[in-house]
Amino acid sequence: MIRKSLKRNILLVASAVAIPFMIAGTCSMSSYACEVEIVEDDKDISVEKGVARSPIIEYRYKMIDGVLHWRLYNYSDGYWIGEWEPVPIKTP
């Protein structure tokens, strides 16, 4: 009696392990490398497409003779705007 149930349990466990692998083996998946086209962002191209972007302009800071100065810098095009000016001190 014990032998029949033991054989049946071993057969069930072996089937439970083997059947998913057999089913997965019949399914096939293909994967291929995708080619990516690199396009350099050019102002003329973006304007032609109608995507006009505002430039990124922020202050840069520098200590000159112990006084803090600031100057605008255009990060989009990489050039300075204006001259170095002392930072105004705000008092409460």
Side-chain angles (χ1 to χ4, degrees):
M1 191 78 151
I2 294 175
R3 288 187 178 188
K4 282 187 178 182
S5 64
L6 182 62
K7 285 182 183 179
R8 195 177 85 202
N9 287 342
I10 291 173
L11 183 62
L12 285 174
V13 169
S15 297
V17 170
I19 290 175
F21 285 108
M22 291 174 17
I23 292 172
T26 60
C27 300
S28 64
M29 288 182 151
S30 300
S31 63
Y32 300 99
C34 179
E35 291 186 23
V36 178
E37 182 180 343
I38 299 173
V39 178
E40 292 184 20
D41 188 24
D42 192 12
K43 286 188 285 183
D44 298 333
I45 294 172
S46 63
V47 171
E48 288 176 7
K49 292 182 180 179
V51 181
R53 297 184 178 149
S54 60
I56 301 171
I57 299 173
E58 294 182 1
Y59 279 105
R60 299 285 301 259
Y61 296 90
K62 179 179 180 180
M63 291 293 286
I64 301 175
D65 296 328
V67 179
L68 185 63
H69 287 68
W70 64 6
R71 185 177 183 183
L72 287 173
Y73 186 75
N74 186 335
Y75 284 95
S76 302
D77 298 328
Y79 63 88
W80 292 101
I81 301 171
E83 298 296 323
W84 289 105
E85 300 173 359
V87 176
I89 299 172
K90 295 181 184 178
T91 55

Coordinates of all heavy atoms in Angstrom, one line a residue:
M1 N 0.8 -1.2 0.0 CA 0.0 0.0 0.0 C 0.9 1.3 0.0 O 0.6 2.2 -0.8 CB -0.9 0.0 1.2 CG -2.0 1.0 1.2 SD -3.2 0.4 0.1 CE -4.6 1.1 0.7
I2 N 1.9 1.3 0.9 CA 2.7 2.4 0.9 C 3.5 2.6 -0.3 O 3.8 3.7 -0.8 CB 3.7 2.3 2.2 CG1 2.8 2.4 3.4 CG2 4.7 3.4 2.2 CD1 3.6 2.1 4.7
R3 N 3.9 1.5 -0.9 CA 4.7 1.5 -2.1 C 3.9 2.1 -3.3 O 4.5 2.9 -4.1 CB 5.2 0.1 -2.5 CG 6.3 -0.4 -1.6 CD 6.8 -1.7 -2.2 NE 7.9 -2.1 -1.3 CZ 8.7 -3.1 -1.6 NH1 8.5 -3.8 -2.7 NH2 9.6 -3.5 -0.8
K4 N 2.6 1.8 -3.4 CA 1.8 2.3 -4.5 C 1.7 3.8 -4.4 O 1.8 4.6 -5.3 CB 0.5 1.7 -4.5 CG 0.5 0.3 -5.1 CD -0.9 -0.2 -5.3 CE -0.9 -1.6 -6.0 NZ -2.3 -2.1 -6.2
S5 N 1.4 4.3 -3.1 CA 1.2 5.8 -2.9 C 2.6 6.5 -3.1 O 2.6 7.6 -3.6 CB 0.6 6.1 -1.6 OG 1.5 5.6 -0.5
L6 N 3.7 5.9 -2.7 CA 5.0 6.5 -2.9 C 5.4 6.6 -4.3 O 5.8 7.6 -4.8 CB 6.1 5.7 -2.1 CG 7.5 6.2 -2.2 CD1 7.5 7.6 -1.5 CD2 8.4 5.3 -1.5
K7 N 5.1 5.5 -5.1 CA 5.3 5.6 -6.5 C 4.5 6.6 -7.2 O 4.9 7.3 -8.1 CB 5.0 4.2 -7.2 CG 6.1 3.1 -6.9 CD 5.7 1.8 -7.6 CE 6.7 0.8 -7.2 NZ 6.4 -0.5 -7.9
R8 N 3.2 6.7 -6.8 CA 2.3 7.7 -7.4 C 2.8 9.1 -7.1 O 2.8 10.0 -7.9 CB 0.9 7.5 -6.9 CG -0.1 8.2 -7.7 CD -1.5 7.9 -7.2 NE -1.8 8.9 -6.2 CZ -2.7 8.7 -5.2 NH1 -3.5 7.7 -5.2 NH2 -2.9 9.7 -4.3
N9 N 3.2 9.4 -5.8 CA 3.7 10.7 -5.4 C 5.0 11.1 -6.2 O 5.2 12.2 -6.7 CB 4.0 10.8 -3.9 CG 2.7 10.8 -3.1 OD1 1.7 11.1 -3.7 ND2 2.8 10.5 -1.9
I10 N 5.9 10.1 -6.4 CA 7.1 10.4 -7.1 C 6.8 10.7 -8.6 O 7.4 11.6 -9.2 CB 8.1 9.2 -7.0 CG1 8.7 9.1 -5.6 CG2 9.2 9.3 -8.0 CD1 9.5 7.9 -5.3
L11 N 5.8 9.9 -9.2 CA 5.4 10.1 -10.5 C 4.8 11.5 -10.7 O 5.1 12.2 -11.7 CB 4.5 9.0 -11.0 CG 4.0 9.1 -12.4 CD1 5.2 8.9 -13.4 CD2 3.0 8.0 -12.7
L12 N 4.0 11.9 -9.7 CA 3.3 13.2 -9.8 C 4.4 14.4 -9.7 O 4.3 15.4 -10.4 CB 2.3 13.4 -8.7 CG 1.0 12.6 -8.9 CD1 0.1 12.7 -7.6 CD2 0.2 13.1 -10.1
V13 N 5.3 14.2 -8.8 CA 6.3 15.3 -8.6 C 7.2 15.4 -9.9 O 7.5 16.4 -10.4 CB 7.2 15.0 -7.4 CG1 8.4 15.9 -7.3 CG2 6.4 15.2 -6.1
A14 N 7.6 14.2 -10.4 CA 8.4 14.2 -11.6 C 7.6 14.8 -12.8 O 8.2 15.6 -13.6 CB 8.8 12.8 -12.0
S15 N 6.4 14.5 -12.9 CA 5.5 15.1 -14.0 C 5.4 16.6 -13.8 O 5.4 17.4 -14.8 CB 4.2 14.5 -14.0 OG 4.3 13.1 -14.3
A16 N 5.2 17.0 -12.5 CA 5.0 18.5 -12.3 C 6.3 19.2 -12.6 O 6.2 20.4 -13.0 CB 4.6 18.7 -10.8
V17 N 7.4 18.6 -12.5 CA 8.7 19.3 -12.8 C 9.0 19.2 -14.3 O 9.4 20.2 -14.9 CB 9.9 18.7 -12.0 CG1 11.2 19.2 -12.5 CG2 9.7 18.9 -10.5
A18 N 8.7 18.1 -14.9 CA 9.1 17.9 -16.3 C 8.1 18.5 -17.3 O 8.6 19.1 -18.3 CB 9.2 16.4 -16.6
I19 N 6.9 18.5 -17.1 CA 5.9 19.0 -18.0 C 6.1 20.5 -18.3 O 6.1 20.9 -19.5 CB 4.4 18.7 -17.6 CG1 4.2 17.2 -17.7 CG2 3.4 19.5 -18.4 CD1 2.9 16.7 -17.2
P20 N 6.3 21.4 -17.3 CA 6.5 22.8 -17.7 C 7.7 23.0 -18.6 O 7.7 23.9 -19.5 CB 6.7 23.5 -16.4 CG 6.0 22.6 -15.4 CD 6.1 21.2 -15.9
F21 N 8.8 22.2 -18.3 CA 10.0 22.4 -19.2 C 9.7 21.9 -20.6 O 10.2 22.5 -21.6 CB 11.2 21.6 -18.6 CG 11.8 22.3 -17.4 CD1 11.6 21.8 -16.1 CD2 12.5 23.5 -17.6 CE1 12.2 22.5 -15.0 CE2 13.1 24.1 -16.5 CZ 12.9 23.6 -15.2
M22 N 8.9 20.9 -20.7 CA 8.6 20.4 -22.1 C 7.7 21.4 -22.8 O 7.9 21.6 -24.0 CB 7.9 19.0 -22.0 CG 8.8 17.9 -21.5 SD 8.1 16.3 -21.1 CE 6.5 16.2 -21.9
I23 N 6.8 22.0 -22.1 CA 5.9 23.0 -22.7 C 6.7 24.2 -23.1 O 6.6 24.8 -24.2 CB 4.7 23.4 -21.8 CG1 3.8 22.2 -21.7 CG2 4.0 24.6 -22.4 CD1 2.7 22.3 -20.6
A24 N 7.6 24.7 -22.2 CA 8.4 25.8 -22.5 C 9.4 25.6 -23.7 O 9.7 26.5 -24.4 CB 9.2 26.2 -21.3
G25 N 9.8 24.3 -23.9 CA 10.7 24.0 -25.0 C 10.0 24.1 -26.3 O 10.7 24.3 -27.4
T26 N 8.7 24.0 -26.4 CA 8.0 24.0 -27.7 C 7.8 25.5 -28.1 O 7.5 25.8 -29.3 CB 6.6 23.3 -27.6 OG1 5.8 23.9 -26.6 CG2 6.8 21.8 -27.3
C27 N 7.8 26.4 -27.1 CA 7.6 27.8 -27.5 C 8.9 28.4 -27.9 O 9.9 28.2 -27.2 CB 7.0 28.6 -26.2 SG 5.5 28.0 -25.7
S28 N 8.9 29.2 -28.9 CA 10.2 29.7 -29.4 C 10.0 31.3 -29.4 O 9.0 31.8 -29.8 CB 10.6 29.2 -30.7 OG 9.7 29.6 -31.7
M29 N 11.1 31.9 -29.0 CA 11.1 33.4 -29.0 C 12.4 33.8 -29.8 O 13.4 33.2 -29.6 CB 11.2 34.0 -27.6 CG 10.0 33.9 -26.8 SD 10.4 34.7 -25.3 CE 8.8 35.3 -24.9
S30 N 12.2 34.8 -30.6 CA 13.4 35.3 -31.3 C 13.6 36.8 -30.9 O 12.7 37.5 -30.8 CB 13.2 35.3 -32.8 OG 12.9 33.9 -33.2
S31 N 14.9 37.1 -30.7 CA 15.2 38.5 -30.4 C 16.3 38.9 -31.3 O 17.3 38.1 -31.5 CB 15.6 38.6 -28.9 OG 16.7 37.9 -28.6
Y32 N 16.2 40.1 -31.8 CA 17.2 40.6 -32.7 C 17.7 42.0 -32.2 O 16.9 42.7 -31.5 CB 16.7 40.8 -34.1 CG 16.2 39.5 -34.7 CD1 14.8 39.2 -34.7 CD2 17.0 38.6 -35.2 CE1 14.4 38.0 -35.2 CE2 16.6 37.4 -35.8 CZ 15.3 37.1 -35.7 OH 14.8 35.9 -36.3
A33 N 18.9 42.3 -32.5 CA 19.5 43.6 -32.1 C 18.8 44.7 -32.9 O 18.5 44.5 -34.1 CB 21.0 43.7 -32.3
C34 N 18.5 45.8 -32.3 CA 17.8 46.9 -32.9 C 18.8 48.0 -33.3 O 19.6 48.4 -32.5 CB 16.8 47.5 -32.0 SG 15.9 48.9 -32.7
E35 N 18.8 48.4 -34.5 CA 19.7 49.5 -34.9 C 19.1 50.8 -34.5 O 17.9 51.1 -34.7 CB 19.9 49.4 -36.4 CG 20.6 48.2 -36.9 CD 20.9 48.3 -38.4 OE1 20.9 49.4 -38.9 OE2 21.1 47.3 -39.0
V36 N 20.0 51.6 -33.9 CA 19.5 52.9 -33.5 C 20.2 54.0 -34.3 O 21.4 54.0 -34.6 CB 20.0 53.1 -32.0 CG1 19.6 54.5 -31.5 CG2 19.4 52.1 -31.1
E37 N 19.4 54.9 -34.8 CA 19.9 56.0 -35.6 C 20.1 57.2 -34.7 O 19.2 57.7 -34.1 CB 18.9 56.4 -36.7 CG 19.3 57.5 -37.6 CD 18.3 57.8 -38.7 OE1 17.4 57.0 -38.9 OE2 18.4 58.9 -39.3
I38 N 21.4 57.7 -34.7 CA 21.7 58.8 -33.9 C 21.6 60.1 -34.7 O 22.3 60.2 -35.8 CB 23.2 58.7 -33.3 CG1 23.2 57.4 -32.5 CG2 23.6 59.9 -32.6 CD1 24.6 57.1 -32.0
V39 N 20.8 61.0 -34.3 CA 20.6 62.3 -34.9 C 21.1 63.4 -34.0 O 20.7 63.5 -32.9 CB 19.1 62.5 -35.3 CG1 18.9 63.8 -36.0 CG2 18.6 61.3 -36.2
E40 N 22.0 64.2 -34.5 CA 22.5 65.3 -33.7 C 21.5 66.4 -33.7 O 20.8 66.7 -34.7 CB 23.8 65.8 -34.3 CG 25.0 64.8 -34.2 CD 26.3 65.4 -34.7 OE1 26.4 66.7 -34.7 OE2 27.2 64.7 -35.0
D41 N 21.3 66.9 -32.5 CA 20.3 68.0 -32.3 C 20.9 69.3 -32.9 O 21.8 69.8 -32.3 CB 20.0 68.1 -30.8 CG 18.8 69.1 -30.6 OD1 18.0 69.3 -31.5 OD2 18.7 69.7 -29.5
D42 N 20.3 69.7 -33.9 CA 20.7 71.0 -34.6 C 19.6 72.0 -34.5 O 18.4 71.7 -34.6 CB 21.1 70.7 -36.0 CG 21.8 71.8 -36.7 OD1 22.2 72.7 -36.0 OD2 22.0 71.8 -37.9
K43 N 20.0 73.2 -34.3 CA 19.0 74.3 -34.1 C 18.1 74.4 -35.4 O 16.9 74.6 -35.3 CB 19.6 75.6 -33.8 CG 20.1 75.7 -32.4 CD 20.6 77.1 -32.1 CE 21.9 77.3 -32.7 NZ 22.5 78.6 -32.4
D44 N 18.8 74.3 -36.5 CA 18.1 74.4 -37.8 C 17.0 73.3 -38.0 O 15.9 73.5 -38.5 CB 19.0 74.4 -39.0 CG 20.0 75.6 -38.9 OD1 19.7 76.6 -38.3 OD2 21.1 75.4 -39.4
I45 N 17.4 72.1 -37.6 CA 16.5 71.0 -37.7 C 15.3 71.1 -36.8 O 14.2 70.9 -37.2 CB 17.2 69.7 -37.4 CG1 18.3 69.4 -38.5 CG2 16.3 68.5 -37.4 CD1 19.2 68.2 -38.2
S46 N 15.5 71.5 -35.6 CA 14.4 71.7 -34.6 C 13.5 72.8 -35.0 O 12.3 72.7 -34.8 CB 15.0 71.9 -33.2 OG 15.7 73.1 -33.1
V47 N 14.0 73.9 -35.6 CA 13.2 75.0 -36.0 C 12.3 74.5 -37.2 O 11.2 74.9 -37.3 CB 14.0 76.2 -36.4 CG1 13.2 77.3 -37.0 CG2 14.7 76.8 -35.1
E48 N 12.9 73.8 -38.1 CA 12.2 73.3 -39.3 C 11.0 72.4 -38.9 O 10.0 72.4 -39.5 CB 13.1 72.5 -40.2 CG 14.1 73.4 -41.0 CD 15.1 72.6 -41.8 OE1 14.9 71.3 -41.9 OE2 16.0 73.1 -42.4
K49 N 11.2 71.6 -37.8 CA 10.2 70.7 -37.4 C 9.1 71.4 -36.5 O 8.1 70.9 -36.1 CB 10.8 69.6 -36.5 CG 11.6 68.6 -37.3 CD 12.2 67.5 -36.4 CE 13.0 66.5 -37.2 NZ 13.5 65.5 -36.4
G50 N 9.4 72.7 -36.2 CA 8.4 73.4 -35.4 C 8.6 73.3 -33.9 O 7.7 73.6 -33.1
V51 N 9.8 72.8 -33.5 CA 10.0 72.6 -32.1 C 11.1 73.6 -31.6 O 12.2 73.4 -31.7 CB 10.6 71.2 -31.8 CG1 10.8 71.0 -30.3 CG2 9.6 70.1 -32.3
A52 N 10.6 74.8 -31.3 CA 11.5 75.9 -30.9 C 11.6 75.8 -29.4 O 10.6 75.7 -28.7 CB 10.9 77.2 -31.3
R53 N 12.9 75.7 -28.9 CA 13.1 75.6 -27.5 C 13.8 76.9 -27.0 O 14.6 77.5 -27.6 CB 14.0 74.4 -27.2 CG 13.4 73.1 -27.6 CD 14.3 72.0 -27.2 NE 13.6 70.7 -27.6 CZ 14.2 69.7 -27.9 NH1 15.5 69.7 -28.0 NH2 13.6 68.6 -28.2
S54 N 13.4 77.3 -25.8 CA 14.0 78.5 -25.2 C 15.4 78.1 -24.7 O 15.6 77.0 -24.2 CB 13.1 79.0 -24.1 OG 12.9 78.1 -23.1
P55 N 16.3 79.0 -24.7 CA 17.7 78.7 -24.3 C 17.7 78.6 -22.7 O 16.9 79.2 -22.0 CB 18.5 79.9 -24.8 CG 17.5 81.0 -24.9 CD 16.2 80.4 -25.3
I56 N 18.7 77.9 -22.3 CA 18.9 77.7 -20.8 C 19.9 78.8 -20.4 O 21.1 78.6 -20.7 CB 19.3 76.3 -20.5 CG1 18.3 75.3 -21.0 CG2 19.6 76.2 -19.0 CD1 18.8 73.9 -20.9
I57 N 19.4 79.8 -19.7 CA 20.3 80.9 -19.2 C 20.2 80.9 -17.7 O 19.2 81.1 -17.2 CB 19.9 82.2 -19.9 CG1 20.0 82.1 -21.4 CG2 20.7 83.3 -19.3 CD1 19.4 83.3 -22.1
E58 N 21.4 80.8 -17.1 CA 21.5 80.9 -15.6 C 22.7 81.7 -15.2 O 23.6 81.9 -16.0 CB 21.6 79.5 -15.0 CG 20.3 78.7 -15.3 CD 20.4 77.3 -14.6 OE1 21.4 77.0 -14.0 OE2 19.4 76.6 -14.8
Y59 N 22.7 82.1 -13.9 CA 23.8 82.9 -13.4 C 25.0 82.0 -13.0 O 24.7 80.9 -12.5 CB 23.4 83.7 -12.1 CG 22.7 85.0 -12.5 CD1 21.3 85.1 -12.3 CD2 23.4 86.1 -12.9 CE1 20.6 86.3 -12.6 CE2 22.7 87.3 -13.2 CZ 21.3 87.3 -13.0 OH 20.7 88.5 -13.3
R60 N 26.2 82.5 -13.2 CA 27.4 81.8 -12.8 C 28.0 82.8 -11.8 O 27.9 84.0 -11.9 CB 28.4 81.6 -13.9 CG 27.9 80.7 -15.0 CD 27.9 79.2 -14.6 NE 29.2 78.7 -14.3 CZ 30.0 78.0 -15.1 NH1 29.6 77.7 -16.3 NH2 31.1 77.5 -14.6
Y61 N 28.6 82.3 -10.7 CA 29.1 83.1 -9.6 C 30.7 83.0 -9.6 O 31.2 81.9 -9.9 CB 28.5 82.7 -8.3 CG 27.0 82.9 -8.2 CD1 26.2 81.9 -8.6 CD2 26.5 84.1 -7.8 CE1 24.8 82.1 -8.6 CE2 25.2 84.3 -7.8 CZ 24.3 83.3 -8.2 OH 23.0 83.6 -8.1
K62 N 31.3 84.1 -9.1 CA 32.8 84.1 -9.0 C 33.2 85.1 -7.9 O 32.5 86.2 -7.8 CB 33.4 84.5 -10.4 CG 34.9 84.6 -10.4 CD 35.3 85.0 -11.8 CE 36.8 85.1 -12.0 NZ 37.2 85.5 -13.3
M63 N 34.2 84.8 -7.2 CA 34.7 85.7 -6.2 C 35.8 86.5 -6.8 O 36.8 86.0 -7.3 CB 35.3 85.0 -5.0 CG 34.3 84.3 -4.1 SD 33.2 85.4 -3.2 CE 34.2 86.0 -2.0
I64 N 35.7 87.9 -6.8 CA 36.7 88.8 -7.4 C 37.1 89.7 -6.3 O 36.2 90.5 -5.8 CB 36.2 89.5 -8.6 CG1 35.8 88.6 -9.7 CG2 37.2 90.5 -9.1 CD1 35.1 89.2 -10.9
D65 N 38.3 89.7 -5.8 CA 38.8 90.5 -4.8 C 38.0 90.4 -3.5 O 37.7 91.4 -2.8 CB 39.0 92.0 -5.2 CG 40.0 92.1 -6.3 OD1 41.0 91.4 -6.3 OD2 39.8 93.0 -7.2
G66 N 37.5 89.2 -3.2 CA 36.7 89.0 -2.0 C 35.3 89.5 -2.1 O 34.5 89.4 -1.1
V67 N 34.8 89.9 -3.3 CA 33.4 90.3 -3.5 C 32.8 89.3 -4.4 O 33.4 88.9 -5.5 CB 33.4 91.7 -4.1 CG1 31.9 92.1 -4.3 CG2 34.1 92.7 -3.2
L68 N 31.6 88.8 -4.1 CA 30.9 87.8 -4.9 C 30.3 88.6 -6.1 O 29.6 89.6 -6.0 CB 29.8 87.2 -4.1 CG 29.0 86.0 -4.8 CD1 30.0 84.9 -5.2 CD2 27.9 85.5 -3.9
H69 N 30.6 88.0 -7.4 CA 30.1 88.6 -8.6 C 29.3 87.5 -9.3 O 29.4 86.3 -9.1 CB 31.2 89.0 -9.5 CG 31.9 90.3 -9.1 ND1 32.7 90.3 -7.9 CD2 31.9 91.5 -9.6 CE1 33.2 91.6 -7.8 NE2 32.7 92.3 -8.8
W70 N 28.4 88.0 -10.2 CA 27.6 87.1 -11.0 C 27.6 87.5 -12.4 O 27.8 88.7 -12.8 CB 26.2 86.8 -10.5 CG 25.3 88.1 -10.5 CD1 25.5 89.3 -11.0 CD2 24.0 88.1 -9.9 NE1 24.4 90.1 -10.8 CE2 23.4 89.4 -10.1 CE3 23.2 87.2 -9.3 CZ2 22.2 89.8 -9.7 CZ3 21.9 87.6 -8.9 CH2 21.4 88.9 -9.1
R71 N 27.3 86.6 -13.3 CA 27.3 86.8 -14.8 C 26.4 85.8 -15.4 O 26.4 84.6 -15.0 CB 28.7 86.8 -15.3 CG 28.8 87.2 -16.8 CD 30.3 87.1 -17.2 NE 30.5 87.5 -18.5 CZ 31.6 87.5 -19.2 NH1 32.7 87.1 -18.6 NH2 31.7 87.9 -20.4
L72 N 25.6 86.2 -16.4 CA 24.7 85.2 -17.1 C 25.5 84.4 -18.1 O 26.4 84.9 -18.7 CB 23.6 86.0 -17.8 CG 22.5 86.6 -16.9 CD1 21.6 87.4 -17.8 CD2 21.7 85.5 -16.2
Y73 N 25.1 83.1 -18.1 CA 25.7 82.2 -19.0 C 24.7 81.4 -19.8 O 23.7 80.9 -19.2 CB 26.6 81.2 -18.3 CG 27.4 80.3 -19.2 CD1 28.5 80.8 -19.9 CD2 27.1 78.9 -19.4 CE1 29.3 79.9 -20.7 CE2 27.8 78.1 -20.2 CZ 28.9 78.6 -20.9 OH 29.6 77.8 -21.7
N74 N 24.8 81.3 -21.1 CA 23.8 80.6 -21.9 C 24.3 79.1 -22.0 O 25.3 78.9 -22.8 CB 23.7 81.2 -23.3 CG 22.6 80.6 -24.1 OD1 22.3 79.4 -24.0 ND2 22.1 81.4 -25.1
Y75 N 23.7 78.2 -21.3 CA 24.1 76.8 -21.3 C 23.8 76.1 -22.6 O 24.4 75.2 -23.0 CB 23.5 76.0 -20.2 CG 24.2 76.3 -18.8 CD1 23.7 77.3 -18.0 CD2 25.3 75.7 -18.4 CE1 24.3 77.6 -16.8 CE2 25.9 75.9 -17.2 CZ 25.4 76.9 -16.4 OH 26.0 77.2 -15.2
S76 N 22.7 76.6 -23.3 CA 22.3 75.9 -24.6 C 23.4 76.1 -25.7 O 23.7 75.2 -26.4 CB 21.0 76.5 -25.0 OG 20.0 76.3 -24.0
D77 N 23.9 77.4 -25.8 CA 24.8 77.7 -26.9 C 26.2 77.8 -26.4 O 27.1 77.9 -27.2 CB 24.3 78.9 -27.6 CG 23.0 78.8 -28.2 OD1 22.7 77.6 -28.6 OD2 22.2 79.7 -28.3
G78 N 26.4 77.9 -25.1 CA 27.8 78.0 -24.5 C 28.5 79.3 -24.6 O 29.7 79.3 -25.1
Y79 N 27.8 80.4 -24.3 CA 28.5 81.7 -24.3 C 28.0 82.6 -23.2 O 27.0 82.4 -22.6 CB 28.3 82.4 -25.7 CG 26.9 82.8 -26.0 CD1 26.4 84.0 -25.6 CD2 26.1 81.9 -26.8 CE1 25.1 84.3 -25.9 CE2 24.8 82.3 -27.1 CZ 24.3 83.5 -26.6 OH 23.0 83.8 -26.9
W80 N 28.9 83.5 -22.8 CA 28.6 84.5 -21.7 C 27.7 85.6 -22.2 O 27.8 86.0 -23.4 CB 29.9 85.1 -21.2 CG 30.8 84.1 -20.5 CD1 31.9 83.5 -21.0 CD2 30.6 83.6 -19.2 NE1 32.4 82.6 -20.1 CE2 31.6 82.7 -18.9 CE3 29.7 83.8 -18.1 CZ2 31.8 82.0 -17.7 CZ3 29.8 83.2 -17.0 CH2 30.9 82.3 -16.7
I81 N 26.9 86.1 -21.3 CA 26.0 87.2 -21.6 C 26.4 88.3 -20.6 O 26.3 88.1 -19.4 CB 24.5 86.8 -21.4 CG1 24.2 85.7 -22.4 CG2 23.6 88.0 -21.7 CD1 22.8 85.1 -22.2
G82 N 26.7 89.5 -21.0 CA 27.0 90.6 -20.2 C 28.4 90.5 -19.5 O 29.3 89.7 -19.9
E83 N 28.6 91.3 -18.5 CA 29.9 91.4 -17.7 C 29.7 90.9 -16.3 O 28.5 90.8 -15.8 CB 30.4 92.8 -17.8 CG 30.7 93.4 -19.1 CD 31.8 92.6 -19.8 OE1 32.8 92.2 -19.1 OE2 31.7 92.4 -21.1
W84 N 30.8 90.7 -15.6 CA 30.7 90.3 -14.2 C 30.2 91.6 -13.4 O 30.8 92.6 -13.5 CB 32.1 89.9 -13.7 CG 32.5 88.6 -14.2 CD1 33.5 88.3 -15.1 CD2 32.0 87.3 -13.8 NE1 33.6 87.0 -15.4 CE2 32.7 86.3 -14.5 CE3 31.1 86.9 -12.9 CZ2 32.5 85.0 -14.4 CZ3 30.9 85.5 -12.7 CH2 31.6 84.6 -13.5
E85 N 29.2 91.3 -12.6 CA 28.6 92.4 -11.8 C 28.6 91.9 -10.3 O 28.4 90.8 -10.0 CB 27.2 92.7 -12.2 CG 27.1 93.2 -13.7 CD 25.7 93.3 -14.1 OE1 24.8 93.1 -13.3 OE2 25.5 93.7 -15.3
P86 N 28.8 92.9 -9.4 CA 28.7 92.5 -7.9 C 27.3 92.0 -7.6 O 26.3 92.6 -8.1 CB 29.1 93.7 -7.2 CG 29.7 94.7 -8.2 CD 29.2 94.2 -9.5
V87 N 27.2 91.0 -6.8 CA 25.8 90.5 -6.4 C 25.3 91.5 -5.4 O 25.9 91.8 -4.4 CB 25.9 89.1 -5.8 CG1 24.6 88.6 -5.3 CG2 26.5 88.1 -6.8
P88 N 24.0 92.0 -5.6 CA 23.5 92.9 -4.7 C 23.1 92.2 -3.4 O 22.6 91.1 -3.4 CB 22.2 93.4 -5.3 CG 21.9 92.5 -6.4 CD 23.2 91.8 -6.8
I89 N 23.5 92.8 -2.2 CA 23.2 92.2 -0.9 C 21.9 92.7 -0.4 O 21.6 93.9 -0.3 CB 24.3 92.6 0.1 CG1 25.7 92.2 -0.5 CG2 24.1 92.1 1.4 CD1 26.9 92.7 0.3
K90 N 21.0 91.7 -0.1 CA 19.7 92.0 0.4 C 19.7 92.0 1.9 O 20.1 91.0 2.5 CB 18.7 91.0 -0.1 CG 18.5 91.1 -1.6 CD 17.5 90.0 -2.1 CE 17.4 90.0 -3.6 NZ 16.5 89.0 -4.1
T91 N 19.3 93.1 2.5 CA 19.2 93.1 4.0 C 17.7 93.1 4.4 O 16.9 93.7 3.8 CB 19.8 94.4 4.5 OG1 19.2 95.5 3.9 CG2 21.3 94.4 4.2
P92 N 17.4 92.3 5.4 CA 16.0 92.2 5.9 C 15.5 93.4 6.6 O 16.0 94.3 6.9 CB 16.0 91.0 6.8 CG 17.5 90.8 7.2 CD 18.3 91.5 6.2

